[in-house]
Every structure is written in structure tokens, then in C-alpha cells.
């Protein structure tokens, strides 16, 4: 302690300390109080009396000096140990569990706000990743893993980040001819990895071409009839070369596929029809023609889950295309006829969770169904916010249903097992006989007395031997015993040469197993001899009365060892 006091009193040591260490020592000493003034009589005032306890009390400056020094050393040690990982730091809170929902839609609608606070499977949050088809790229593997690379803007620059979606909501057309965009390859990538989605990836791929979807409507038309399902008549041309059939004019020719085809033209006569055929030749795509219907209004019936809505759109501009120019949209009552249409179309391609049916109501008072749209349908009317909330709730329910199931295990390649080479001769037969364990024969099961002398217990089973035992016949050659008459042979029932042959046979099995790489466990000498004499399965430790039989067996084994290894 005296050394520390002398060291701390050194001014050079204090000046070399870093900032923040032992600040109490670096402070200047407090000013001492002035001595008391002398008395007026001219005599010095006597010093105040001091008690012995006050003399023994240490100076007050020494206590903060030592305490500040050791506290500084303690802080340095704690910081060093924490940085080195020797001291347990404050545990970091575990990250929240979440499921990634990929929404493919235009950026005008922010779906993340609708899914905020939603949970699936009890405690999993939903993390929304929204992008367009043009901003995505997909890499999939057959074992179910999928990596989606998305381009995002950060500080004015494009950054690509990857993630694995757990669910997909597709609200954008995957095949559009107007923008010359074909994203069916991304649909294939998601389907390749088995990512669940709304609508199903199978239905989205099938709805990419309008004629393909119309072919399914034709099957429904044939099953329900024209009264329940009034489908418009349509003719399909795979290319311009087939556009030679003269339809009944006027007709409407639609060029191209799916959403936003190349064009839709009204043709009144044959010459204009030939002109349109030349345009189709330039586009190098298919086309369809259907009779022109002088419409009074258009009908749109949509279904989101179990919610139904019907709308009527009337053209104000007077154009024969009701979707061109000004139009008036109003919601109408949902009839059973409309419900039958949309319910029937929702069963296409394995089921459509979100779909809409478009029809035309002509001035002749008839309805004509023209097409069906999937999850990429546009929301219309005054209840768009309600429709988005319905889609959100349906996605949450579908995610909980799909993700709650047991996931399919990853595919594994079958393991190829190379057969081991077996030795020829007795070792090969012995290894095969050890692997195949036969049931007890009728003769042995029927015995009433077991080998230990107890009644009512059948003898234990033993493995079959490749070389069957033989019995001597004085009238002829040696004959093998049948399997059902084979007795349990012990050391006393075998003759001398046969006993030695059995011992040599068991010893050869033991030496052949490690040399030839057999798959069965190795046997030591005592086990080989026990198997050779048929004693491997005897219950030696069952009762105390078997000690005599056990001692006799050991003596027989010793004699066999002596006969085997003696010269």
C-alpha cells in the first residue's frame, strides 16, 4: 500500500494516464483553509484539543485515492473480458419469426399496410415483399428450394436481394402482348419449387392464353346447355393462312392472346376481313372471330372467396367498345343466374379463388358470355378497399392452411449398396447359414424335455448349418438326415473326427470373415466353438442347478482346445 501511495504521488505517473482513468487523482488538490487569526491580546491561540480517535482516523484523501484506483482497474478488466467473450454479456433478443409473402402487383397498391399485424400459424408474422414481374428472377431446385432475386431502389441505385417466399399472391398479368412481356418462365420457376399461391400457378399458366381458357368454357357450355350458360360463338384461327372462311358479317376479330391483345377490330364486309388477315400475318400470332353484338351494357360478375359482386357498365360515348371512352358503372343485384356462371367458372383448372366472368347484354335481350379472368382481374366499383381486404383475409387463411401441413421431405438419392465379395468353399456357406435363421423343426418342438432337464419348455432355436449332419449306416453309405429329423447335436453325440472337423470349420469361418470383408460381426474362439457344438443358445445362467452342466461343458471345451492345438 505504501508503494501505491508513493507511486500515485508521482506527478509523471498521473500525467501519463489516459483521459477518464482515475479522474479523482488528476483533479487539483482542494485549497487548504487559512489558519485562524491571532487573539487581540497578542498571544497565540491554543490549538483545538484533538481526541485519540481523531488521531487514529486515516486522512480523508487516501480513501478516495485507493477506491478510485481499484475501481478504474476493475472497469478496465470488465471491458477487456467482455470484449474477449470471457464474461457473459446481455443476451440478445431472438429475432421474430415470420413467413415471407411475395405479392406480384403494380406499385400503386401498397399491400404491406393491409397485412400489418397479421399472423399465421399462431405466432408467425407476415413479411410482405411486393414487386412486379419485370423486377423478379427465380431459381428453383427439384428438392423444393427456391430463390427469388428482386431489384429494389435504395438511395437512387438498384440493389438485388434474394429471399425464399413461403407464399405468392399474383395480381399481375403474366402474359401481355401490348407490353410485349412474357413472364411465364417465372410461373414455371415457382411451380418447379412447389410454392403455394393464389390463384394456383397451374390456373395462372392456363389463363395466359384466352383461346385456351375459352376452350374450357366450351366444355362447360356443352354440359350445361345454352340456356344456363350462354357462351358466345367464336372461331379460332391458328394463323393468317386459315382466315379464308367467310363468316357472317359483321364480326369482331381479336388478334393476340390474353390480356391486352394486339387489337380488336369490327369487320363489316369481306374486303376488310382480308385486310385484317394481312395484319395477322404481320403479328405472327393467332386470332379469333365472333359475331358482333350490339350491346346495351356489359356485365361483370366477380368472386373473391365466398364474396360475390355484380356490376353493370353502360357506354356513354356511344362507341361499340363499351370499355372505350366514357362509361357508367353501377352495382346490380346478384342473381342465381349470375352466381351459376361464376361458380362454374371458378372450378376451372383445379379451382380459382379469385375470378370474374365477363358477358354482354345485347339489345335483343340476350346475354353472351365472352371470357373469364383469374386473380389478375382489375378491381372496380366503390368497394375496392373492401375487395382488397377480402383478398388479404383469404391469403392469411390460405397460408395458415397450406403452411400448417407437414412439409414434404426433400428428395434423396437412393443409396447404392455394393455387394461384398464372399469367399468360396465352407466360409461362404457358413456366412449364408448364419444370416438365415430357421424356425425350430417339428421334431425338436415336440420334445417334452429340454436340454437342462426341465419339463414343459421347448429347446431354444439355433441357426441352420450349411453342411447337414450325417449319420453312419452299417448297411450302406452315409446318408444325410432330413431337416425334420435333424437332432440337436452336442459334443457328446459327435464322434472324434466329426468334432474336430466342426471345430476346424468354425475356426475357418472366423479367419475368413476379416479376410474377405464379411458384413457379419466377428466371433471370438469361444463363440465359434460354442456355435460348433450347438451350445451358443443354451441358458447357462438360468438356474443354480445348472452349475454342474456348465462345468462339464467347460471341461469339454478345454479338452477340445487341447486336441486342436496339440501336435
Amino acid at each position: 500500500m505504501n508503494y501505491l501511495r508513493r507511486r500515485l504521488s508521482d506527478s509523471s505517473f498521473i500525467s501519463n494516464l489516459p483521459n477518464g482513468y482515475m479522474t479523482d487523482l488528476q483533479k487539483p488538490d482542494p485549497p487548504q483553509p487559512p489558519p485562524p487569526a491571532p487573539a487581540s491580546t497578542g498571544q497565540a491561540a491554543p490549538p483545538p484539543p484533538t481526541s485519540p480517535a481523531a488521531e487514529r482516523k486515516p486522512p480523508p484523501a487516501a480513501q478516495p485515492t485507493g477506491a478510485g484506483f481499484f475501481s478504474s482497474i476493475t472497469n478496465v478488466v470488465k471491458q477487456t473480458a467482455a470484449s474477449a467473450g470471457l464474461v457473459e454479456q446481455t443476451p440478445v433478443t431472438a429475432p421474430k419469426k415470420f413467413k415471407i409473402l411475395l405479392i406480384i402487383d403494380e406499385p400503386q397498391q401498397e399491400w404491406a399496410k393491409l397485412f400489418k399485424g397479421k399472423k399465421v400459424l399462431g405466432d408467425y408474422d407476415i413479411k410482405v415483399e411486393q414487386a412486379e414481374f419485370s423486377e423478379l428472377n427465380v431459381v428453383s431446385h427439384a428438392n423444393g428450394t427456391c430463390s427469388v432475386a428482386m431489384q429494389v431502389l435504395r438511395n437512387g441505385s438498384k440493389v438485388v436481394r434474394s429471399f425464399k417466399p413461403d407464399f405468392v399472391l399474383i395480381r399481375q398479368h403474366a402474359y401481355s402482348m401490348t407490353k410485349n412481356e412474357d413472364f411465364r418462365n417465372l410461373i414455371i420457376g415457382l411451380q418447379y419449387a412447389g410454392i403455394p399461391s393464389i390463384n394456383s400457378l397451374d390456373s395462372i399458366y392456363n389463363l395466359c392464353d384466352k383461346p385456351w381458357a375459352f376452350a374450357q368454357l366450351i366444355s362447360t357450355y356443352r354440359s350445361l346447355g345454352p340456356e344456363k350458360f350462354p357462351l358466345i360463338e367464336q372461331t379460332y384461327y391458328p394463323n393468317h393462312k386459315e382466315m379464308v372462311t367467310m363468316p357472317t358479317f359483321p364480326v369482331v376479330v381479336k388478334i393476340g392472346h390474353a390480356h391486352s391483345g394486339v387489337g380488336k377490330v369490327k369487320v363489316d364486309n369481306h374486303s376488310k376481313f382480308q385486310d385484317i388477315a394481312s395484319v395477322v400475318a404481320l403479328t405472327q400470332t393467332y386470332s379469333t372471330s365472333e359475331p358482333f353484338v350490339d350491346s346495351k351494357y356489359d356485365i361483370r360478375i366477380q368472386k373473391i372467396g365466398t364474396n360475390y359482386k355484380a356490376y353493370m357498365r353502360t357506354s356513354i360515348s356511344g362507341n361499340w367498345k363499351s370499355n372505350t371512352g366514357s362509361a357508367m358503372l353501377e352495382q346490380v343485384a346478384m342473381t342465381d343466374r349470375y352466381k351459376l356462371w361464376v361458380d362454374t367458372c371458378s372450378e376451372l383448372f383445379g379451382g380459382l379463388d379469385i375470378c370474374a366472368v365477363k358477358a354482354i347484354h345485347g339489345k335483343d335481350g340476350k346475354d353472351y358470355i365472352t371470357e373469364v379472368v383469374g386473380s389478375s382481374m382489375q378491381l372496380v366499383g366503390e368497394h375496392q378497399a373492401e375487395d382488397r381486404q377480402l383478398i388479404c383475409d383469404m391469403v392469411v387463411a390460405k397460408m395458415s392452411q397450406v403452411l400448417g401441413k407437414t412439409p414434404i421431405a426433400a428428395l434423396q438419392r437412393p443409396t447404392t449398396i455394393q455387394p461384398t465379395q464372399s469367399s468360396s468353399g465352407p466360409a461362404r456357406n457358413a456366412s449364408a447359414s448364419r444370416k438365415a435363421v430357421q424356425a425350430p423343426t417339428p421334431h425338436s418342438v415336440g420334445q417334452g424335455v429340454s436340454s437342462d432337464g426341465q419339463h414343459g419348455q421347448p429347446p431354444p432355436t439355433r441357426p441352420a448349418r450349411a453342411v447337414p449332419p450325417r449319420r453312419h449306416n452299417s448297411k450302406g453309405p452315409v446318408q444325410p438326415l432330413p431337416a425334420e429329423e435333424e437332432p440337436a447335436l452336442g459334443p457328446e453325440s459327435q464322434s472324434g473326427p466329426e468334432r474336430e472337423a466342426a471345430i476346424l470349420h468354425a475356426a475357418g469361418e472366423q479367419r475368413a470373415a476379416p479376410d474377405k470383408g464379411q458384413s457379419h460381426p466377428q466371433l471370438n474362439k469361444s463363440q465359434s466353438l460354442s456355435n460348433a457344438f450347438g451350445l451358443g443358445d443354451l441358458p447357462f445362467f438360468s438356474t443354480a442347478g445348472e452349475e454342474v452342466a456348465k462345468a462339464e461343458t467347460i471341461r469339454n471345451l478345454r479338452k477340445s482346445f487341447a486336441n486342436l492345438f496339440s501336435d
Side-chain angles (χ1 to χ4, degrees), residues 62 73 127 131 143 186 192 198 223 244 317 415 434 445 494 537 549:
I73 296 298
K127 183 180 180 181
N143 58 0
L186 301 182
Y192 200 86
I198 288 181
S223 61
V244 294
S317 60
T415 304
R434 269 202 312 275
V445 172
Q494 292 181 341
D537 297 330

mmCIF file of all heavy atoms in Angstrom, residues 62 73 127 131 143 186 192 198 223 244 317 415 434 445 494 537 549:
data_model
loop_
_atom_site.group_PDB
_atom_site.id
_atom_site.type_symbol
_atom_site.label_atom_id
_atom_site.label_comp_id
_atom_site.label_asym_id
_atom_site.label_seq_id
_atom_site.Cartn_x
_atom_site.Cartn_y
_atom_site.Cartn_z
ATOM 1 N N ALA A 62 -6.846 9.787 1.333
ATOM 2 C CA ALA A 62 -6.301 8.486 0.949
ATOM 3 C C ALA A 62 -7.402 7.533 0.518
ATOM 4 O O ALA A 62 -7.200 6.704 -0.349
ATOM 5 C CB ALA A 62 -5.517 7.886 2.110
ATOM 6 N N ILE A 73 -9.268 0.075 -12.297
ATOM 7 C CA ILE A 73 -8.733 -1.221 -12.719
ATOM 8 C C ILE A 73 -9.852 -2.224 -12.952
ATOM 9 O O ILE A 73 -9.844 -3.002 -13.916
ATOM 10 C CB ILE A 73 -7.741 -1.749 -11.671
ATOM 11 C CG1 ILE A 73 -6.528 -0.817 -11.589
ATOM 12 C CG2 ILE A 73 -7.301 -3.161 -12.013
ATOM 13 C CD1 ILE A 73 -5.745 -0.718 -12.874
ATOM 14 N N LYS A 127 -44.256 -11.162 -43.544
ATOM 15 C CA LYS A 127 -43.374 -10.167 -44.153
ATOM 16 C C LYS A 127 -43.696 -10.092 -45.637
ATOM 17 O O LYS A 127 -43.539 -11.055 -46.366
ATOM 18 C CB LYS A 127 -41.910 -10.552 -43.941
ATOM 19 C CG LYS A 127 -40.932 -9.520 -44.483
ATOM 20 C CD LYS A 127 -39.495 -9.948 -44.242
ATOM 21 C CE LYS A 127 -38.522 -8.921 -44.790
ATOM 22 N NZ LYS A 127 -37.105 -9.344 -44.575
ATOM 23 N N ALA A 131 -43.410 -6.687 -55.650
ATOM 24 C CA ALA A 131 -42.642 -6.314 -56.848
ATOM 25 C C ALA A 131 -43.457 -6.679 -58.072
ATOM 26 O O ALA A 131 -44.480 -7.376 -57.995
ATOM 27 C CB ALA A 131 -41.284 -7.017 -56.868
ATOM 28 N N ASN A 143 -35.679 -30.182 -55.159
ATOM 29 C CA ASN A 143 -35.939 -30.540 -53.763
ATOM 30 C C ASN A 143 -36.847 -29.548 -53.061
ATOM 31 O O ASN A 143 -37.068 -29.653 -51.853
ATOM 32 C CB ASN A 143 -34.623 -30.668 -52.995
ATOM 33 C CG ASN A 143 -33.802 -29.381 -53.033
ATOM 34 O OD1 ASN A 143 -34.215 -28.382 -53.628
ATOM 35 N ND2 ASN A 143 -32.635 -29.408 -52.420
ATOM 36 N N LEU A 186 -41.246 -17.324 -65.228
ATOM 37 C CA LEU A 186 -41.237 -17.168 -63.769
ATOM 38 C C LEU A 186 -42.321 -18.018 -63.119
ATOM 39 O O LEU A 186 -42.125 -18.546 -62.016
ATOM 40 C CB LEU A 186 -41.424 -15.693 -63.411
ATOM 41 C CG LEU A 186 -40.373 -14.720 -63.964
ATOM 42 C CD1 LEU A 186 -40.666 -13.305 -63.490
ATOM 43 C CD2 LEU A 186 -38.974 -15.144 -63.544
ATOM 44 N N TYR A 192 -42.059 -25.044 -60.253
ATOM 45 C CA TYR A 192 -40.989 -26.039 -60.139
ATOM 46 C C TYR A 192 -40.626 -26.283 -58.683
ATOM 47 O O TYR A 192 -40.327 -27.419 -58.292
ATOM 48 C CB TYR A 192 -39.770 -25.539 -60.907
ATOM 49 C CG TYR A 192 -38.774 -26.607 -61.286
ATOM 50 C CD1 TYR A 192 -38.923 -27.333 -62.456
ATOM 51 C CD2 TYR A 192 -37.685 -26.886 -60.484
ATOM 52 C CE1 TYR A 192 -38.017 -28.310 -62.817
ATOM 53 C CE2 TYR A 192 -36.763 -27.868 -60.835
ATOM 54 C CZ TYR A 192 -36.935 -28.568 -61.996
ATOM 55 O OH TYR A 192 -36.033 -29.528 -62.332
ATOM 56 N N ILE A 198 -52.034 -17.926 -54.719
ATOM 57 C CA ILE A 198 -53.412 -17.550 -55.061
ATOM 58 C C ILE A 198 -53.331 -16.627 -56.264
ATOM 59 O O ILE A 198 -52.654 -15.613 -56.218
ATOM 60 C CB ILE A 198 -54.125 -16.840 -53.904
ATOM 61 C CG1 ILE A 198 -54.451 -17.827 -52.777
ATOM 62 C CG2 ILE A 198 -55.406 -16.158 -54.370
ATOM 63 C CD1 ILE A 198 -55.173 -17.208 -51.612
ATOM 64 N N SER A 223 -71.974 -29.021 -71.377
ATOM 65 C CA SER A 223 -72.545 -29.764 -70.245
ATOM 66 C C SER A 223 -73.789 -29.081 -69.666
ATOM 67 O O SER A 223 -74.754 -29.765 -69.294
ATOM 68 C CB SER A 223 -71.498 -29.944 -69.147
ATOM 69 O OG SER A 223 -71.071 -28.672 -68.676
ATOM 70 N N VAL A 244 -59.697 -17.884 -94.307
ATOM 71 C CA VAL A 244 -60.332 -17.890 -95.622
ATOM 72 C C VAL A 244 -61.817 -18.178 -95.524
ATOM 73 O O VAL A 244 -62.565 -17.973 -96.484
ATOM 74 C CB VAL A 244 -59.642 -18.920 -96.544
ATOM 75 C CG1 VAL A 244 -58.218 -18.496 -96.834
ATOM 76 C CG2 VAL A 244 -59.679 -20.311 -95.943
ATOM 77 N N SER A 317 -70.220 7.279 -74.378
ATOM 78 C CA SER A 317 -69.648 7.876 -75.579
ATOM 79 C C SER A 317 -70.269 7.336 -76.861
ATOM 80 O O SER A 317 -70.107 7.925 -77.926
ATOM 81 C CB SER A 317 -68.141 7.658 -75.615
ATOM 82 O OG SER A 317 -67.849 6.266 -75.612
ATOM 83 N N THR A 415 -29.446 -44.824 -52.035
ATOM 84 C CA THR A 415 -28.088 -45.249 -51.723
ATOM 85 C C THR A 415 -27.784 -46.556 -52.436
ATOM 86 O O THR A 415 -28.517 -47.535 -52.323
ATOM 87 C CB THR A 415 -27.926 -45.433 -50.210
ATOM 88 O OG1 THR A 415 -28.290 -44.215 -49.570
ATOM 89 C CG2 THR A 415 -26.492 -45.784 -49.863
ATOM 90 N N ARG A 434 -25.388 -68.387 -41.376
ATOM 91 C CA ARG A 434 -25.542 -67.574 -40.161
ATOM 92 C C ARG A 434 -26.566 -66.477 -40.361
ATOM 93 O O ARG A 434 -27.215 -66.051 -39.432
ATOM 94 C CB ARG A 434 -24.199 -66.957 -39.772
ATOM 95 C CG ARG A 434 -23.417 -67.828 -38.813
ATOM 96 C CD ARG A 434 -22.399 -66.990 -38.060
ATOM 97 N NE ARG A 434 -21.630 -66.146 -38.951
ATOM 98 C CZ ARG A 434 -20.532 -66.545 -39.595
ATOM 99 N NH1 ARG A 434 -20.116 -67.791 -39.467
ATOM 100 N NH2 ARG A 434 -19.861 -65.719 -40.363
ATOM 101 N N VAL A 445 -39.479 -79.281 -31.574
ATOM 102 C CA VAL A 445 -40.533 -78.635 -30.784
ATOM 103 C C VAL A 445 -41.348 -79.660 -30.042
ATOM 104 O O VAL A 445 -41.819 -79.444 -28.929
ATOM 105 C CB VAL A 445 -41.425 -77.786 -31.711
ATOM 106 C CG1 VAL A 445 -42.635 -77.254 -30.967
ATOM 107 C CG2 VAL A 445 -40.610 -76.649 -32.315
ATOM 108 N N GLN A 494 -21.241 -86.394 -31.056
ATOM 109 C CA GLN A 494 -20.407 -86.409 -32.239
ATOM 110 C C GLN A 494 -19.187 -87.279 -31.995
ATOM 111 O O GLN A 494 -18.670 -87.355 -30.892
ATOM 112 C CB GLN A 494 -19.947 -84.988 -32.604
ATOM 113 C CG GLN A 494 -21.086 -84.099 -33.090
ATOM 114 C CD GLN A 494 -20.570 -82.724 -33.454
ATOM 115 O OE1 GLN A 494 -19.484 -82.363 -33.005
ATOM 116 N NE2 GLN A 494 -21.334 -81.998 -34.232
ATOM 117 N N ASP A 537 -26.846 -71.069 -27.759
ATOM 118 C CA ASP A 537 -28.107 -70.548 -27.257
ATOM 119 C C ASP A 537 -28.550 -71.186 -25.955
ATOM 120 O O ASP A 537 -29.695 -71.034 -25.552
ATOM 121 C CB ASP A 537 -29.208 -70.761 -28.304
ATOM 122 C CG ASP A 537 -28.911 -69.996 -29.574
ATOM 123 O OD1 ASP A 537 -28.273 -68.948 -29.454
ATOM 124 O OD2 ASP A 537 -29.323 -70.473 -30.658
ATOM 125 N N ALA A 549 -23.735 -78.823 -15.178
ATOM 126 C CA ALA A 549 -23.688 -78.900 -16.645
ATOM 127 C C ALA A 549 -22.738 -77.865 -17.224
ATOM 128 O O ALA A 549 -22.045 -78.120 -18.208
ATOM 129 C CB ALA A 549 -25.100 -78.695 -17.210
#
